[in-house]
Amino acid sequence: MSYFSSQADGTVSSALQAALRPGAVAAPAKPGLIVAGATGALGSEVLRRLAGSGRFSRTQVLAREPITTGLLQVGITLAAQGACDSWPVQALRAQIGVVMFEPPRLYHDRERALWTPGPEQLLGLARWLGRCGVQTLVVVMPHAEGRLPEALKRGLANLDEQAVSSVGFERLLLVRSARKKAAAKPSGFLTRTAAWMLSTLSYMIPATERPIRPAKLAEFVDAILPMLPAGTHVAPPELLWQFAQGQGNEPRAALQAWLNTRLD
């Protein structure tokens, strides 16, 4: 009798020990990621950083034609023809989406095969991503440096952005990122002189409203994604500048302080 009792106690004890082992607790499933506009210096940096973070089970990139990415855990999702609103629903298995609008660099063959949206396609793309199961959407919205009205730094800029906020994402982040004006090559002495005189006005733009390096902007997106609470948020240019200037733990502390003000 004592033998069977001891054996039973040992079995129960072993079962409890096995249940309490760290390996017995199932690790939470990693979310999937889809990137639209993985082109230009910014898109390349964001894709490299997020795909290499190890936080995503799979990273998909929207493309116009099949290509080989050359990156582990990165696959291609072909964009359909026509307006984004009419694209068929796909089983993306992606809960997080990142949208950027920087055009491809023509001397990069890979980038010419990728699909990059235009700002006018944002609403249709957001609706399609929502139908495909994306729950968190980050949109890097470029604007001319020094020309963003104060009211738009922390609010929605137009009806399209308001409509995107109504799609039903659990988390929506619009990143107000300044973009340098494309350098023009004026011809003629008077035209060149006028262009030089106008260029001196760029020194009057506050540092907090100037573009930050693509690597720093990619770091910002990577850092804020795990911290982003539910709701619609607009990251102003000065937050990006403050993040880019920080050292050590300062950037994440700045993000947390900003998020705390959003929750108050």
Side-chain angles (χ1 to χ4, degrees):
M1 183 68 179
S2 60
Y3 168 77
F4 290 105
S5 176
S6 174
Q7 185 181 45
D9 291 344
T11 302
V12 172
S13 176
S14 300
L16 287 174
Q17 290 176 3
L20 293 175
R21 289 173 189 158
V25 179
K30 295 180 180 179
L33 172 71
I34 184 166
V35 179
T39 49
L42 174 60
S44 179
E45 283 288 344
V46 169
L47 178 61
R48 180 190 65 80
R49 191 170 190 94
L50 294 183
S53 68
R55 297 203 315 270
F56 304 101
S57 60
R58 181 73 172 170
T59 299
Q60 301 172 69
V61 180
L62 281 174
R64 295 185 294 107
E65 57 189 65
I67 59 172
T68 302
T69 63
L71 296 173
L72 294 176
Q73 297 300 317
V74 177
I76 293 298
T77 295
L78 293 179
Q81 299 294 324
C84 301
D85 260 335
S86 64
W87 289 2
V89 175
Q90 297 189 39
L92 298 178
R93 297 181 181 177
Q95 293 76 40
I96 299 175
V98 177
V99 177
M100 294 164 288
F101 302 99
E102 190 169 320
R105 296 167 288 190
L106 297 181
Y107 51 87
H108 284 243
D109 290 337
R110 178 188 65 85
E111 292 189 4
R112 290 202 297 268
L114 298 180
W115 185 85
T116 302
E120 72 282 355
Q121 296 174 292
L122 173 60
L123 178 55
L125 178 61
R127 287 172 173 166
W128 178 74
L129 291 172
R131 290 196 302 270
C132 293
V134 170
Q135 301 165 0
T136 298
L137 182 64
V138 175
V139 184
V140 181
M141 296 295 297
H143 64 271
E145 57 180 328
R147 296 187 180 181
L148 185 65
E150 192 67 28
L152 300 184
K153 291 180 180 180
R154 297 167 182 80
L156 301 177
N158 51 44
L159 294 177
D160 276 356
E161 290 185 2
Q162 294 178 19
V164 170
S165 69
S166 302
V167 168
F169 296 107
E170 292 183 9
R171 300 168 185 83
L172 172 64
L173 175 66
L174 301 178
V175 181
R176 302 285 189 219
S177 171
R179 179 171 59 187
K180 288 184 178 180
K181 184 179 180 181
K185 294 182 179 180
S187 59
F189 173 76
L190 293 178
T191 305
R192 288 196 300 270
T193 302
W196 173 80
M197 294 178 66
L198 290 173
S199 69
T200 60
L201 298 177
S202 63
Y203 295 101
M204 301 175 63
I205 299 175
T208 55
E209 297 185 15
R210 293 179 182 174
I212 65 173
R213 293 186 293 111
K216 278 295 181 182
L217 188 51
E219 184 181 346
F220 173 86
V221 173
D222 182 34
I224 202 170
L225 264 174
M227 307 166 62
L228 194 63
T232 298
H233 313 276
V234 179
E238 55 264 31
L239 176 64
L240 305 183
W241 180 85
Q242 186 179 4
F243 179 89
Q245 304 307 308
Q247 300 292 331
N249 293 328
E250 292 177 359
R252 291 181 183 271
L255 290 185
Q256 190 60 63
W258 177 72
L259 291 173
N260 289 341
T261 62
R262 303 285 300 171
L263 296 175
D264 290 343

